[in-house]
Amino acid sequence: MSKLFVYNTLTRQKELFEPINSPHVGMYVCGPTVYGDPHLGHARGAITFDVVYRYLLFLGYKVRYVRNITDVGHLENDSDQGDDKIAKKARLEQLEPMEIAQQYTNSYHQEMDLLNVLRPSIEPRATGHIIEQIESIKSIIDNGYGYESNGSVYFNVEEYAKNYHYGILSGRVLEDLTSNTRDLDGQSDKKGSLDFALWKKATPEHIMKWSSPWGEGFPGWHIECSAMSAKYLGNFFDIHGGGMDLAFPHHECEIAQSQACNHHTPAKYWLHNNMITIDGRKMGKSLNNFINLKEFFTGNHPLLEQAYSPMNIRFYILQAQYRSTLDISNTALRAANVAYVKLLNAYKLLDKLSWQLGTEVNSTLELEIESCIAECHAGMNDDFNTGVAISGLFGLTNFVNQFHLKQKDINSISENAFNHLISTYKVFFKDILGLKEEKLVNADNTIAALLGFYQEAKANKQYDKVDLIRQVLKKEGIVVKDLKDKIEWAYEA
Ligand code: ZN
């Protein structure tokens, strides 16, 4: 296996990737909170870890990829106060919370399928794991790091910090955190301002609640990931991923919970993808630049000058390394599409190229090709740098085009070199980067043009052409209807 280096947020350095129990790899990624249509931030997170997943599979690892669905407990402003995001939406739309969760889980799946994001091995829901979460909370209390207060349960950060480093992942210092936190207002049930909720008491009007040893309530946001990752991947697994905005407090709290519960940090490598900005500004409802994926795919948003296909979006995201910021603009997306189509066209040529034994091997040419191939691998091995891998593919694209146009003699490279070129291109384009040809789904324009030729041919009494066009359309299941005053088409029964 080639050597893969990953940047570990926990140690702040690139490390050689060595799974705990090779060839098995356990990977947990924080999935969406399902109360709204997925947007570009969702796309970047999902595509980042999709490529990690795909590359690990390519390297021969047996990966169990767990990505959760948060369908309860994520309160507004990521805090311990306020409404549950899903319950609030349910109230506004007068639906069951589960209808909201299902509706947006469905749209998440649909959009991610369009982006060619592979489904995870296990996709657990927080509401399906209330018992596991209660058990984890009990252990945390038993081990002395949690306390009940007025029907809610909180994690005792001060107590935890006596034995462990709270802030280990995000690099934050406890004293700074404490001084930055507003003083408790006296209304709170917490002992310390940094304490976070493991279980929240439900008010009578709260619609999503379960019974527990502490009364009716619902789990805090962070505990679901600790409970579900441990259930499916064990107390210590290989990769924990998510967006950079989750490193604190969500992942920091997950580490604290796992230490308190299982006496172990949950994961060996912590990977975080960076955020997306639009025209240099953070995405946000208040800035009116909050564009969801459906709007990108249809072009139906005032900031968009046109529609952008899912592969256009995917390719754009892949052009950057996942840890760098990424800014979206109409100009940049159009440029990405030009580049993507260039790769796609070369990909479509691969099966048309044929090789025959030549008289002489051009070893310089072979070396040039091998150096592009090496660039593809080196990019991915350097912390999944898809931008570098794409640059290697562009190098190969030039050779594919030159061979196709006979500007270079394909028979002047060895059969091995030829096969290596073809297989590398296919594997990187399709399997690792997850790119694909998007079939034109709207054939109306093509059919209309053909019917125009049909009408013209008929008027000129060119009946061989008329028959030919009928045959072409028939092959596609379309029948031409000659009406008195016009020509129409219908699906053939
Ligand atoms: Zn999580």
Side-chain angles (χ1 to χ4, degrees):
M1 264 176 203
S2 53
K3 286 189 170 178
L4 166 65
F5 287 83
V6 298
Y7 181 85
N8 191 350
T9 315
L10 192 62
T11 58
R12 290 165 190 78
Q13 60 189 8
K14 279 184 194 165
E15 293 173 8
L16 178 64
F17 181 67
E18 292 176 301
I20 299 158
N21 181 25
S22 189
H24 299 276
V25 172
M27 173 161 95
Y28 186 91
V29 174
C30 293
T33 303
V34 280
Y35 69 102
D37 278 320
H39 53 75
L40 267 187
H42 290 108
R44 191 172 198 197
I47 288 170
T48 294
F49 292 101
D50 182 52
V51 169
V52 170
Y53 179 41
R54 286 167 176 273
Y55 193 60
L56 292 173
L57 292 176
F58 163 77
L59 292 179
Y61 292 114
K62 298 186 186 316
V63 188
R64 182 181 292 170
Y65 174 19
V66 183
R67 189 186 63 204
N68 68 307
I69 297 276
T70 296
D71 56 0
V72 68
H74 197 162
L75 305 188
E76 286 177 305
N77 310 318
D78 297 346
S79 71
D80 285 345
Q81 302 296 327
D83 257 339
D84 182 293
K85 288 179 176 178
I86 291 161
K88 184 184 177 187
K89 186 99 180 174
R91 245 195 327 276
L92 286 174
E93 299 191 9
Q94 298 198 319
L95 295 169
E96 271 291 316
M98 269 302 143
E99 280 183 282
I100 294 291
Q102 190 64 55
Q103 179 187 332
Y104 291 112
T105 302
N106 291 349
S107 67
Y108 184 76
H109 284 154
Q110 282 158 8
E111 318 285 270
M112 294 309 133
D113 286 351
L114 286 172
L115 289 165
N116 209 21
V117 169
L118 299 175
R119 300 268 178 114
S121 329
I122 304 176
E123 195 171 45
R125 287 166 167 265
T127 53
H129 297 76
I130 300 293
I131 292 167
E132 288 84 350
Q133 295 178 71
I134 290 174
E135 287 307 312
S136 298
I137 297 168
K138 279 196 213 161
S139 302
I140 293 171
I141 296 174
D142 289 347
N143 293 340
Y145 297 109
Y147 58 91
E148 196 213 322
S149 173
N150 193 25
S152 293
V153 181
Y154 293 95
F155 190 93
N156 191 333
V157 172
E158 195 185 331
E159 190 60 32
Y160 176 78
K162 288 177 188 166
N163 299 316
Y164 300 100
H165 179 184
Y166 184 78
I168 189 169
L169 180 72
S170 56
R172 298 183 191 214
V173 179
L174 193 63
E175 288 71 37
D176 297 348
L177 285 170
T178 314
S179 62
N180 284 337
T181 315
R182 274 174 293 134
D183 285 338
L184 294 177
D185 52 12
Q187 300 283 314
S188 176
D189 305 323
K190 297 183 195 179
K191 285 182 186 169
S193 56
L194 290 179
D195 295 355
F196 55 89
L198 298 168
W199 186 264
K200 285 289 284 181
K201 179 185 182 169
T203 52
E205 64 274 14
H206 203 95
I207 40 181
M208 295 173 89
K209 55 190 168 190
W210 292 262
S211 47
S212 79
W214 317 284
E216 287 219 311
F218 56 95
W221 171 33
H222 315 303
I223 194 69
E224 65 170 281
C225 289
S226 293
M228 296 191 292
S229 63
K231 178 175 170 107
Y232 297 111
L233 299 171
N235 290 347
F236 188 49
F237 53 91
D238 299 290
I239 297 174
H240 194 309
M244 222 169 244
D245 54 339
L246 294 181
F248 190 89
H250 184 53
H251 292 161
E252 200 73 72
C253 294
E254 273 188 53
I255 290 177
Q257 290 168 160
S258 294
Q259 288 278 22
C261 193
N262 311 317
H263 314 290
H264 215 298
T265 59
K268 189 173 178 185
Y269 305 97
W270 289 79
L271 274 58
H272 292 98
N273 65 275
N274 213 320
M275 303 290 109
I276 282 189
T277 52
I278 293 187
D279 293 318
R281 283 144 58 111
K282 226 184 135 183
M283 266 195 299
K285 290 232 158 68
S286 54
L287 292 172
N288 218 10
N289 67 352
F290 198 88
I291 312 174
N292 67 38
L293 288 170
K294 270 193 192 88
E295 291 163 337
F296 272 103
F297 299 161
T298 57
N300 190 14
H301 188 283
L303 288 179
L304 297 178
E305 290 163 8
Q306 62 173 91
Y308 299 98
S309 79
M311 279 306 110
N312 189 165
I313 300 280
R314 182 175 178 108
F315 184 79
Y316 185 67
I317 288 173
L318 291 177
Q319 278 182 314
Q321 209 273 350
Y322 72 91
R323 284 191 294 118
S324 50
T325 54
L326 183 61
D327 188 55
I328 289 268
S329 66
N330 283 287
T331 317
L333 280 172
R334 272 196 294 271
N337 197 48
V338 170
Y340 161 66
V341 167
K342 199 176 164 194
L343 283 191
L344 173 66
N345 283 334
Y347 176 77
K348 285 166 66 65
L349 288 176
L350 296 175
D351 286 333
K352 293 183 185 156
L353 294 179
S354 67
W355 176 91
Q356 283 174 339
L357 189 61
T359 46
E360 215 177 323
V361 168
N362 180 342
S363 51
T364 314
L365 181 57
E366 281 197 0
L367 281 175
E368 284 169 3
I369 292 173
E370 284 302 327
S371 126
C372 294
I373 291 175
E375 192 182 4
C376 292
H377 291 278
M380 292 306 293
N381 283 331
D382 181 18
D383 194 26
F384 312 100
N385 196 330
T386 47
V388 172
I390 285 171
S391 148
L393 268 191
F394 270 112
L396 294 179
T397 299
N398 289 334
F399 294 111
V400 170
N401 289 333
Q402 286 163 346
F403 288 146
H404 175 66
L405 297 171
K406 306 212 185 312
Q407 292 164 345
K408 280 203 167 87
D409 181 11
I410 197 167
N411 303 326
S412 72
I413 59 173
S414 69
E415 187 174 17
N416 275 345
F418 172 75
N419 288 336
H420 201 193
L421 163 66
I422 302 289
S423 64
T424 303
Y425 203 110
K426 284 186 177 174
V427 162
F428 271 83
F429 185 89
K430 179 171 156 283
D431 300 335
I432 296 174
L433 297 173
L435 297 168
K436 64 174 185 182
E437 183 179 2
E438 287 170 320
K439 293 278 178 218
L440 301 171
V441 281
N442 189 345
D444 286 351
N445 292 341
T446 315
I447 297 173
L450 276 174
L451 289 184
F453 290 132
Y454 179 88
Q455 205 158 12
E456 202 180 301
K458 218 179 140 193
N460 296 334
K461 299 192 168 31
Q462 297 169 300
Y463 294 113
D464 50 338
K465 270 192 190 164
V466 168
D467 285 344
L468 185 69
I469 295 170
R470 274 190 170 276
Q471 278 166 29
V472 166
L473 287 169
K474 195 177 158 64
K475 259 192 196 164
E476 304 300 324
I478 286 168
V479 60
V480 182
K481 297 202 162 182
D482 287 289
L483 303 178
K484 251 184 223 157
D485 51 345
K486 60 183 168 183
I487 292 167
E488 280 182 354
W489 68 271
Y491 292 108
E492 197 175 35

